[in-house]
Amino acid sequence: MAYEMEEIRTSQEIFYFLLEHHEIREETEGRLYQAYAENEQIQNLVKSQGEAAYSNIERYGDVIYLIPQEENNFLGFSKAQLKAALCKSGATDRDYFLSQFVVLTLLTEFYDGQGSSSKSRDFLRVGELQNRISAYLKAGAESSGDEDGQEHGLAFANMYEAYEALRSDEKGSRAKTTKEGFLHHILKFLEKQGLVDYVEEDEMIQTTKKLDSFMDWNLLNQNHYVRVKRVLGLV
C-alpha cells in the first residue's frame, strides 16, 4: 500500500504528540484529531507506529489515546516502579498484588458493565472503599480453595494478611504503613494518571472522562465484566 509523503509526515506528527501528551483531544487539537479520524491511511500509519512502540492507539469518543501494552516499561510502568510508587518501603509481591486488588475493587465499585454506560455511580467515599476491600479480602480468604489461600487466581489469604498488617489511623495518616495512607498513595497515583479526581478534604473519589470512556469501550463487553467479578469472587 502506497502512502503520500504528506500522510506520512502527519502520522509522525500525531504519534509524536501522543508520545509527549498521551492523548489528542478534538476540542484542543482539532487538526490532528480530524486527520486521524477522517483519513484511514493516516490512522493505519499511526497504529503501525504504536505497534512498533509496543503500544495501542485507541479513539474513544472525541479523544485519541496512546495506551502502553502490559510489558511496556518505557512508556508505561514496570512492576518495580509501581511497587515503589504504591507500596511501603521494602514491600513484597503480596503488597504489590494488594495494591492492584485495590484498583480492581475501585473499578468494580464504579462500573457494572450494564446498560448504555458501564458507570453505575458518580462518587465513592474513601471509607466505603476501605470497607469493601476488607470485606472482599476476608471473604476470599475464608472461602479460599486451598491451603495457600488461592482462589480465582488470587492469593486472597496472602493479600488479606498484608492488608491487616497495615495499621489503622483515624487521624488520616499518609504513611504507607497504614491502611489510610496506603489507599491515599494509590488514589494520588491514579489522579496523576488522569483516571480519578480525589477530593481529599471530602474523602471522596470521582472518575474522570478518560476512565469512563475506557471502561465504556471495554467493560460493556459482558465477558470482561464477568471475568472481573469472578476474580473478586463475586460470581
Side-chain angles (χ1 to χ4, degrees):
M1 180 181 294
Y3 295 99
E4 299 291 336
M5 184 58 66
E6 185 61 30
E7 291 174 333
I8 296 175
R9 280 198 293 264
T10 301
S11 73
Q12 291 173 334
E13 185 179 358
I14 291 171
F15 187 64
Y16 182 81
F17 192 95
L18 286 170
L19 283 176
E20 185 174 5
H21 302 282
H22 302 287
E23 64 181 37
I24 293 177
R25 295 184 172 274
E26 183 178 21
E27 62 182 356
T28 56
E29 297 296 331
R31 180 180 66 84
L32 295 181
Y33 178 90
Q34 294 297 330
Y36 179 91
E38 299 175 1
N39 189 314
E40 185 177 357
Q41 301 281 77
I42 291 177
Q43 188 173 134
N44 289 337
L45 284 167
V46 175
K47 284 183 173 291
S48 179
Q49 292 175 76
E51 291 174 3
Y54 300 101
S55 300
N56 298 322
I57 311 297
E58 302 290 351
R59 179 164 66 97
Y60 300 142
D62 57 357
V63 185
I64 303 165
Y65 295 106
L66 181 148
I67 305 174
Q69 294 175 6
E70 186 174 351
E71 300 301 323
N72 189 333
N73 295 336
F74 178 69
L75 295 175
F77 295 92
S78 67
K79 178 180 175 181
Q81 289 172 324
L82 285 174
K83 187 186 292 186
L86 304 178
C87 304
K88 62 186 179 182
S89 177
T92 63
D93 278 354
R94 71 175 189 174
D95 299 302
Y96 168 76
F97 293 134
L98 174 60
S99 70
Q100 303 309 295
F101 185 84
V102 168
V103 175
L104 188 60
T105 300
L106 185 148
L107 294 178
T108 303
E109 291 302 307
F110 271 108
Y111 305 97
D112 65 4
Q114 309 291 323
S116 60
S117 172
S118 64
K119 193 170 182 178
S120 59
R121 64 194 301 169
D122 294 323
F123 67 90
L124 176 66
R125 297 289 183 184
V126 175
E128 183 180 353
L129 174 61
Q130 185 172 331
N131 291 337
R132 292 288 189 180
I133 293 166
S134 181
Y136 288 154
L137 288 174
K138 183 178 181 180
E142 290 176 348
S143 63
S144 56
D146 60 41
E147 59 188 17
D148 294 323
Q150 190 81 16
E151 180 76 8
H152 306 293
L154 296 180
F156 275 100
N158 289 339
M159 290 189 296
Y160 184 55
E161 183 180 340
Y163 188 67
E164 289 303 305
L166 298 172
R167 294 183 292 105
S168 291
D169 190 327
E170 296 180 357
K171 296 180 179 180
S173 170
R174 297 295 184 250
K176 293 180 181 179
T177 54
T178 68
K179 292 181 174 65
E180 294 75 15
F182 181 63
L183 292 182
H184 170 80
H185 285 281
I186 292 175
L187 293 172
K188 293 299 290 184
F189 176 83
L190 294 175
E191 184 174 54
K192 188 175 181 180
Q193 304 310 310
L195 300 174
V196 304
D197 290 321
Y198 175 31
V199 186
E200 294 184 53
E201 56 270 25
D202 296 327
E203 295 191 329
M204 183 174 68
I205 310 160
Q206 296 175 305
T207 60
T208 63
K209 182 179 179 181
K210 177 179 180 179
L211 182 57
D212 291 343
S213 296
F214 179 80
M215 298 304 287
D216 277 347
W217 283 84
N218 290 276
L219 198 64
L220 284 178
N221 180 320
Q222 284 298 302
N223 291 330
H224 292 171
Y225 178 63
V226 171
R227 181 184 178 190
V228 170
K229 300 288 279 187
R230 184 176 294 115
V231 166
L232 287 175
L234 301 179
V235 294

